[in-house]
Amino acid sequence: MRIFIKLFNTLVQPENLFYAWEEFKRDKGRKEDVLAFEKNLESEIFKLYRELKTGTYKHSGYESFFISDPKRRHIHKAIVRDRVLHHAIMNILYPLYDKTFIDYSFSCRIGKGTHKGVQALRQMIAKASNNNTRTVYILKCDVEKFFDSVHHDILINMLKQRIKDDRLMSLLVEVIESFASDRSTLFDRVGLPIGNLTSQLFANIYMDKFDQHMKHDLKVKYYARYTDDFVVVSDNREYLVSLISDISKFLNESLKLTIHPKKITIRKYTHGIDFLGYVAFPHYMRVRKRTMKRISRRLKEKMVLYKSGSLEREKLDATLFSYLGVLSHANTYRFSEKLKNDYFLSVNNPD
């Protein structure tokens, strides 16, 4: 097991904090709280540095709001200086932990992501089916209210197994304990705020124990995970059925998590596999219908902002190209062309 020592002093150095600020402020430069922090940037950064060095730093509370992306999510946003610290933590811990994760963990990792996850699924299916010459099945599950259910004590103990630096551990405990979901009890504090950058890393650390169980204990050959969504591919349907009870037991006993009872499916590949926003079939790929509707709606909303002068043309174009990038991984030629035509007609229309 890789052990990490003497990290605290590197993490809290002003150089790392200023670099964290530069990472944080990308695409946030016009927000009022960011501008206010930047106005007194040096004094804010050195104040944070002194508090970290003297052990007097305390994480502030959260602003709470909801977004639909596409399902309704409860977001908790920390104040600017806390979010700068989250970036500083990620700068130090992410490259160390990332090397310990399995290759087929795709969430919030450099060089991974949803497109690579879907590609990996199709590659696993190709191998298991001997290039679509035999029937294969895909077991797909996700964890019920994952971020709200991450158990603080379990996560902290996982971190302690690798991090042998008391000052850094005290800081990480401060960040973790700054939030608790409504699933917490008098005896157990649970939950990670979706709005924290550190929550992405903590989620992968937490679920890595499950990844290791799947790959090394159960020796599952074709397995991939994205946050709390995971798939297993096999040409044996009974084998997949037999995995469900073991998976459920391990998640419950080792991580105090529960598989969503309504989101356990075993489907033939020929019937289409809905994974990470795409629906994969043997010879083509679709984008979910609700995803296409969401893309059309959001692009129209951005165009309204552009015409009102609230959004720059450069950012509007970037939004279009981002959506076209998503669509390019599937068979969506007609929809992509319609999106581009509607976009340029609207942008060039003075009304």
Side-chain angles (χ1 to χ4, degrees):
M1 178 182 289
R2 293 172 61 90
I3 301 299
F4 310 136
I5 60 174
K6 298 180 179 178
L7 298 175
F8 181 80
N9 286 335
T10 303
L11 190 153
V12 303
Q13 285 302 309
E15 292 85 352
N16 186 42
L17 297 178
F18 276 108
Y19 178 72
W21 159 255
E22 292 297 328
E23 291 288 304
F24 162 75
K25 76 170 185 177
R26 290 180 184 176
D27 300 323
K28 301 184 185 72
R30 300 178 70 177
K31 295 186 177 180
E32 288 185 13
D33 55 348
V34 177
L35 291 171
F37 189 90
E38 188 172 32
K39 187 176 181 180
N40 301 293
L41 180 61
E42 287 195 8
S43 63
E44 291 283 3
I45 292 292
F46 280 105
K47 179 184 177 184
L48 178 58
Y49 165 73
R50 288 191 298 272
E51 290 181 12
L52 292 168
K53 284 288 286 184
T54 59
T56 58
Y57 167 81
K58 296 295 179 185
H59 198 288
S60 300
Y62 292 85
E63 176 188 351
S64 171
F65 56 93
F66 290 89
I67 63 169
S68 296
D69 188 31
K71 61 184 179 182
R72 198 164 186 255
R73 294 182 184 274
H74 196 182
I75 305 297
H76 292 83
K77 186 174 77 171
I79 65 172
V80 170
R81 76 173 202 142
D82 292 334
R83 284 183 283 162
V84 170
L85 174 63
H86 300 163
H87 277 265
I89 291 171
M90 287 290 285
N91 290 343
I92 301 301
L93 290 189
Y94 171 81
L96 299 175
Y97 270 100
D98 190 63
K99 296 174 184 177
T100 71
F101 299 146
I102 67 169
D103 286 341
Y104 278 56
S105 165
F106 290 94
S107 174
C108 303
R109 298 179 63 193
I110 296 170
K112 302 289 186 177
T114 56
H115 301 144
K116 291 293 179 67
V118 174
Q119 288 174 13
L121 173 61
R122 300 192 81 183
Q123 288 167 3
M124 291 190 299
I125 290 170
K127 291 177 182 177
S129 67
N130 192 24
N131 289 323
N132 297 321
T133 60
R134 59 173 176 254
T135 301
V136 293
Y137 304 86
I138 294 87
L139 167 65
K140 182 173 176 289
C141 309
D142 73 22
V143 176
E144 187 173 17
K145 295 188 178 297
F146 170 68
F147 281 98
D148 282 344
S149 304
V150 171
H151 197 281
H152 289 189
D153 286 346
I154 294 175
L155 174 59
I156 290 167
N157 286 331
M158 286 177 174
L159 293 167
K160 284 182 177 178
Q161 289 176 9
R162 292 188 183 275
I163 298 174
K164 305 303 180 182
D165 182 325
D166 290 342
R167 298 182 74 187
L168 176 54
M169 274 308 310
S170 294
L171 177 60
L172 295 179
V173 169
E174 175 67 24
V175 173
I176 293 167
E177 294 291 351
S178 69
F179 174 83
S181 75
D182 57 11
R183 290 196 157 203
S184 297
T185 68
L186 183 63
F187 305 102
D188 292 322
R189 288 176 63 83
V190 300
L192 295 175
I194 295 177
N196 278 11
L197 181 65
T198 49
S199 294
Q200 300 172 3
L201 176 62
F202 292 154
N204 276 333
I205 292 170
Y206 203 80
M207 288 298 286
D208 182 63
K209 188 171 183 177
F210 177 64
D211 295 340
Q212 301 300 332
H213 175 68
M214 293 292 282
K215 297 300 293 182
H216 300 300
D217 297 334
L218 298 183
K219 301 189 183 304
V220 175
K221 189 173 183 180
Y222 300 120
Y223 161 81
R225 179 182 61 81
Y226 189 97
T227 313
D228 61 325
D229 292 346
F230 55 92
V231 290
V232 180
V233 180
S234 176
D235 61 356
N236 186 332
R237 190 180 190 281
E238 287 69 32
Y239 165 70
L240 295 179
V241 172
S242 72
L243 282 177
I244 296 171
S245 61
D246 186 286
I247 287 171
S248 181
K249 181 180 178 182
F250 182 87
L251 287 172
N252 187 259
E253 293 181 355
S254 297
L255 300 175
K256 296 191 177 181
L257 299 174
T258 304
I259 297 180
H260 198 300
K262 296 182 179 179
K263 296 184 179 179
I264 302 172
T265 60
I266 298 178
R267 290 176 62 87
K268 285 184 180 180
Y269 183 35
T270 52
H271 294 169
I273 304 303
D274 188 335
F275 187 55
L276 305 182
Y278 297 89
V279 183
F281 292 86
H283 302 294
Y284 65 99
M285 185 107 73
R286 289 203 321 240
V287 174
R288 289 176 184 161
K289 288 183 179 179
R290 64 176 179 267
T291 299
M292 291 193 289
K293 289 180 180 178
R294 188 170 74 251
I295 286 173
S296 295
R297 184 183 72 250
R298 289 188 175 177
L299 197 57
K300 287 177 182 176
E301 290 170 353
K302 294 279 187 180
M303 286 189 283
V304 170
L305 291 174
Y306 167 70
K307 290 189 174 185
S308 70
S310 302
L311 186 70
E312 298 172 1
R313 175 64 185 267
E314 183 180 352
K315 291 187 176 180
L316 181 63
D317 289 344
T319 300
L320 172 66
F321 295 140
S322 175
Y323 288 147
L324 292 176
V326 170
L327 297 170
S328 70
H329 295 273
N331 301 81
T332 57
Y333 175 79
R334 288 184 180 178
F335 178 72
S336 295
E337 289 300 303
K338 182 179 185 304
L339 200 71
K340 287 188 285 187
N341 289 337
D342 291 348
Y343 174 84
F344 289 113
L345 281 172
S346 178
V347 165
N348 295 321
N349 187 334
D351 295 333

